[in-house]
mmCIF file of all heavy atoms in Angstrom:
data_model
loop_
_atom_site.group_PDB
_atom_site.id
_atom_site.type_symbol
_atom_site.label_atom_id
_atom_site.label_comp_id
_atom_site.label_asym_id
_atom_site.label_seq_id
_atom_site.Cartn_x
_atom_site.Cartn_y
_atom_site.Cartn_z
ATOM 1 N N ARG A 234 139.349 95.913 92.050
ATOM 2 C CA ARG A 234 139.900 94.808 91.259
ATOM 3 C C ARG A 234 141.305 94.420 91.723
ATOM 4 O O ARG A 234 142.125 93.931 90.947
ATOM 5 C CB ARG A 234 139.897 95.128 89.760
ATOM 6 C CG ARG A 234 138.542 95.520 89.198
ATOM 7 C CD ARG A 234 137.595 94.353 89.092
ATOM 8 N NE ARG A 234 138.003 93.384 88.096
ATOM 9 C CZ ARG A 234 137.443 92.188 87.954
ATOM 10 N NH1 ARG A 234 136.470 91.811 88.756
ATOM 11 N NH2 ARG A 234 137.864 91.361 87.017
ATOM 12 N N ARG A 235 141.588 94.628 93.010
ATOM 13 C CA ARG A 235 142.854 94.210 93.615
ATOM 14 C C ARG A 235 142.533 93.361 94.840
ATOM 15 O O ARG A 235 141.769 93.788 95.710
ATOM 16 C CB ARG A 235 143.710 95.409 94.040
ATOM 17 C CG ARG A 235 144.101 96.331 92.910
ATOM 18 C CD ARG A 235 145.218 97.293 93.337
ATOM 19 N NE ARG A 235 144.890 98.042 94.541
ATOM 20 C CZ ARG A 235 144.182 99.174 94.567
ATOM 21 N NH1 ARG A 235 143.682 99.666 93.439
ATOM 22 N NH2 ARG A 235 143.952 99.808 95.702
ATOM 23 N N PRO A 236 143.098 92.164 94.950
ATOM 24 C CA PRO A 236 142.781 91.289 96.087
ATOM 25 C C PRO A 236 143.372 91.827 97.380
ATOM 26 O O PRO A 236 144.409 92.500 97.387
ATOM 27 C CB PRO A 236 143.419 89.958 95.700
ATOM 28 C CG PRO A 236 144.563 90.345 94.820
ATOM 29 C CD PRO A 236 144.095 91.555 94.052
ATOM 30 N N GLN A 237 142.719 91.505 98.495
ATOM 31 C CA GLN A 237 143.175 91.916 99.809
ATOM 32 C C GLN A 237 143.364 90.679 100.683
ATOM 33 O O GLN A 237 143.076 89.556 100.275
ATOM 34 C CB GLN A 237 142.177 92.884 100.433
ATOM 35 C CG GLN A 237 141.949 94.148 99.603
ATOM 36 C CD GLN A 237 143.223 94.932 99.350
ATOM 37 O OE1 GLN A 237 143.852 95.439 100.279
ATOM 38 N NE2 GLN A 237 143.627 95.026 98.084
ATOM 39 N N ALA A 238 143.869 90.904 101.895
ATOM 40 C CA ALA A 238 144.164 89.804 102.803
ATOM 41 C C ALA A 238 143.295 89.905 104.051
ATOM 42 O O ALA A 238 142.937 90.996 104.494
ATOM 43 C CB ALA A 238 145.641 89.801 103.183
ATOM 44 N N VAL A 239 142.969 88.747 104.601
ATOM 45 C CA VAL A 239 142.169 88.626 105.818
ATOM 46 C C VAL A 239 142.933 87.734 106.783
ATOM 47 O O VAL A 239 143.532 86.732 106.371
ATOM 48 C CB VAL A 239 140.789 87.994 105.506
ATOM 49 C CG1 VAL A 239 139.988 87.761 106.786
ATOM 50 C CG2 VAL A 239 140.003 88.854 104.526
ATOM 51 N N MET A 240 142.935 88.091 108.075
ATOM 52 C CA MET A 240 143.489 87.192 109.097
ATOM 53 C C MET A 240 142.501 87.064 110.235
ATOM 54 O O MET A 240 142.143 88.065 110.872
ATOM 55 C CB MET A 240 144.832 87.672 109.628
ATOM 56 C CG MET A 240 145.429 86.671 110.618
ATOM 57 S SD MET A 240 147.089 87.063 111.166
ATOM 58 C CE MET A 240 147.404 85.644 112.242
ATOM 59 N N LEU A 241 142.084 85.824 110.505
ATOM 60 C CA LEU A 241 141.097 85.556 111.538
ATOM 61 C C LEU A 241 141.686 84.635 112.599
ATOM 62 O O LEU A 241 142.785 84.102 112.451
ATOM 63 C CB LEU A 241 139.846 84.945 110.913
ATOM 64 C CG LEU A 241 139.190 85.809 109.825
ATOM 65 C CD1 LEU A 241 138.009 85.087 109.206
ATOM 66 C CD2 LEU A 241 138.773 87.165 110.375
ATOM 67 N N HIS A 242 140.915 84.446 113.671
ATOM 68 C CA HIS A 242 141.405 83.741 114.855
ATOM 69 C C HIS A 242 141.194 82.238 114.733
ATOM 70 O O HIS A 242 140.085 81.733 114.879
ATOM 71 C CB HIS A 242 140.679 84.299 116.088
ATOM 72 C CG HIS A 242 141.041 83.624 117.367
ATOM 73 N ND1 HIS A 242 142.341 83.348 117.725
ATOM 74 C CD2 HIS A 242 140.269 83.168 118.388
ATOM 75 C CE1 HIS A 242 142.353 82.765 118.905
ATOM 76 N NE2 HIS A 242 141.104 82.634 119.327
ATOM 77 N N VAL A 243 142.208 81.541 114.422
ATOM 78 C CA VAL A 243 142.320 80.085 114.349
ATOM 79 C C VAL A 243 141.051 79.420 113.798
ATOM 80 O O VAL A 243 140.379 79.939 112.911
ATOM 81 C CB VAL A 243 142.750 79.497 115.724
ATOM 82 C CG1 VAL A 243 144.121 80.003 116.108
ATOM 83 C CG2 VAL A 243 141.755 79.785 116.844
ATOM 84 N N SER A 244 140.710 78.267 114.332
ATOM 85 C CA SER A 244 139.588 77.478 113.808
ATOM 86 C C SER A 244 138.253 78.178 114.009
ATOM 87 O O SER A 244 137.406 78.192 113.105
ATOM 88 C CB SER A 244 139.558 76.114 114.493
ATOM 89 O OG SER A 244 139.491 76.281 115.912
ATOM 90 N N VAL A 245 138.046 78.774 115.172
ATOM 91 C CA VAL A 245 136.737 79.368 115.465
ATOM 92 C C VAL A 245 136.477 80.594 114.600
ATOM 93 O O VAL A 245 135.353 80.825 114.127
ATOM 94 C CB VAL A 245 136.610 79.703 116.962
ATOM 95 C CG1 VAL A 245 136.507 78.431 117.780
ATOM 96 C CG2 VAL A 245 137.778 80.569 117.450
ATOM 97 N N GLY A 246 137.497 81.396 114.374
ATOM 98 C CA GLY A 246 137.324 82.559 113.508
ATOM 99 C C GLY A 246 137.079 82.164 112.071
ATOM 100 O O GLY A 246 136.205 82.726 111.399
ATOM 101 N N ALA A 247 137.835 81.173 111.592
ATOM 102 C CA ALA A 247 137.628 80.711 110.214
ATOM 103 C C ALA A 247 136.216 80.149 110.045
ATOM 104 O O ALA A 247 135.554 80.393 109.029
ATOM 105 C CB ALA A 247 138.669 79.660 109.855
ATOM 106 N N ALA A 248 135.732 79.420 111.046
ATOM 107 C CA ALA A 248 134.393 78.842 110.958
ATOM 108 C C ALA A 248 133.330 79.924 110.855
ATOM 109 O O ALA A 248 132.358 79.793 110.115
ATOM 110 C CB ALA A 248 134.125 77.960 112.180
ATOM 111 N N ASN A 249 133.524 81.013 111.587
ATOM 112 C CA ASN A 249 132.540 82.091 111.572
ATOM 113 C C ASN A 249 132.495 82.824 110.238
ATOM 114 O O ASN A 249 131.531 83.537 109.956
ATOM 115 C CB ASN A 249 132.858 83.091 112.693
ATOM 116 C CG ASN A 249 131.648 83.410 113.542
ATOM 117 O OD1 ASN A 249 130.603 82.789 113.412
ATOM 118 N ND2 ASN A 249 131.784 84.382 114.418
ATOM 119 N N ALA A 250 133.524 82.661 109.426
ATOM 120 C CA ALA A 250 133.612 83.385 108.160
ATOM 121 C C ALA A 250 133.215 82.552 106.956
ATOM 122 O O ALA A 250 133.265 83.045 105.830
ATOM 123 C CB ALA A 250 135.046 83.892 107.957
ATOM 124 N N VAL A 251 132.803 81.312 107.160
ATOM 125 C CA VAL A 251 132.554 80.420 106.025
ATOM 126 C C VAL A 251 131.461 80.963 105.111
ATOM 127 O O VAL A 251 131.544 80.857 103.877
ATOM 128 C CB VAL A 251 132.228 78.998 106.519
ATOM 129 C CG1 VAL A 251 131.658 78.142 105.401
ATOM 130 C CG2 VAL A 251 133.488 78.347 107.073
ATOM 131 N N CYS A 252 130.412 81.571 105.666
ATOM 132 C CA CYS A 252 129.348 82.119 104.823
ATOM 133 C C CYS A 252 129.911 83.158 103.845
ATOM 134 O O CYS A 252 129.623 83.124 102.647
ATOM 135 C CB CYS A 252 128.262 82.746 105.695
ATOM 136 S SG CYS A 252 126.904 83.486 104.774
ATOM 137 N N GLY A 253 130.720 84.077 104.362
ATOM 138 C CA GLY A 253 131.328 85.079 103.491
ATOM 139 C C GLY A 253 132.262 84.465 102.477
ATOM 140 O O GLY A 253 132.376 84.942 101.343
ATOM 141 N N LEU A 254 132.931 83.397 102.865
ATOM 142 C CA LEU A 254 133.856 82.735 101.951
ATOM 143 C C LEU A 254 133.105 82.046 100.814
ATOM 144 O O LEU A 254 133.560 82.037 99.664
ATOM 145 C CB LEU A 254 134.701 81.728 102.729
ATOM 146 C CG LEU A 254 135.989 81.260 102.066
ATOM 147 C CD1 LEU A 254 136.933 82.424 101.839
ATOM 148 C CD2 LEU A 254 136.657 80.189 102.904
ATOM 149 N N ILE A 255 131.941 81.466 101.121
ATOM 150 C CA ILE A 255 131.113 80.876 100.064
ATOM 151 C C ILE A 255 130.738 81.948 99.042
ATOM 152 O O ILE A 255 130.809 81.735 97.824
ATOM 153 C CB ILE A 255 129.845 80.231 100.661
ATOM 154 C CG1 ILE A 255 130.210 79.011 101.507
ATOM 155 C CG2 ILE A 255 128.877 79.828 99.560
ATOM 156 C CD1 ILE A 255 129.050 78.446 102.298
ATOM 157 N N ASN A 256 130.328 83.119 99.528
ATOM 158 C CA ASN A 256 129.975 84.202 98.610
ATOM 159 C C ASN A 256 131.154 84.593 97.730
ATOM 160 O O ASN A 256 131.008 84.789 96.514
ATOM 161 C CB ASN A 256 129.497 85.419 99.409
ATOM 162 C CG ASN A 256 128.117 85.235 100.005
ATOM 163 O OD1 ASN A 256 127.297 84.495 99.481
ATOM 164 N ND2 ASN A 256 127.852 85.912 101.108
ATOM 165 N N ALA A 257 132.334 84.724 98.322
ATOM 166 C CA ALA A 257 133.516 85.107 97.550
ATOM 167 C C ALA A 257 133.865 84.049 96.514
ATOM 168 O O ALA A 257 134.218 84.366 95.375
ATOM 169 C CB ALA A 257 134.701 85.350 98.489
ATOM 170 N N ALA A 258 133.748 82.781 96.892
ATOM 171 C CA ALA A 258 134.077 81.706 95.962
ATOM 172 C C ALA A 258 133.143 81.703 94.766
ATOM 173 O O ALA A 258 133.575 81.605 93.611
ATOM 174 C CB ALA A 258 134.022 80.361 96.687
ATOM 175 N N ARG A 259 131.835 81.811 95.012
ATOM 176 C CA ARG A 259 130.880 81.769 93.908
ATOM 177 C C ARG A 259 130.947 83.031 93.049
ATOM 178 O O ARG A 259 130.625 82.992 91.854
ATOM 179 C CB ARG A 259 129.460 81.582 94.456
ATOM 180 C CG ARG A 259 129.212 80.210 95.083
ATOM 181 C CD ARG A 259 129.491 79.087 94.096
ATOM 182 N NE ARG A 259 129.036 77.788 94.587
ATOM 183 C CZ ARG A 259 129.778 76.693 94.632
ATOM 184 N NH1 ARG A 259 131.047 76.748 94.231
ATOM 185 N NH2 ARG A 259 129.285 75.546 95.063
ATOM 186 N N ALA A 260 131.364 84.150 93.634
ATOM 187 C CA ALA A 260 131.503 85.392 92.865
ATOM 188 C C ALA A 260 132.872 85.509 92.196
ATOM 189 O O ALA A 260 133.156 86.518 91.551
ATOM 190 C CB ALA A 260 131.265 86.597 93.773
#
């Protein structure tokens, strides 16, 4: 129950993580 931080590689890294981000947003 404590938020964490993620750092990915510019546009291409962020794009690869969108599926996981959708899950986090809906949850």
Side-chain angles (χ1 to χ4, degrees):
R234 305 288 292 170
R235 299 194 306 275
Q237 301 302 296
V239 175
M240 184 174 182
L241 302 177
H242 177 46
V243 297
S244 56
V245 290
N249 230 8
V251 167
C252 179
L254 198 61
I255 293 171
N256 287 332
R259 292 303 190 231

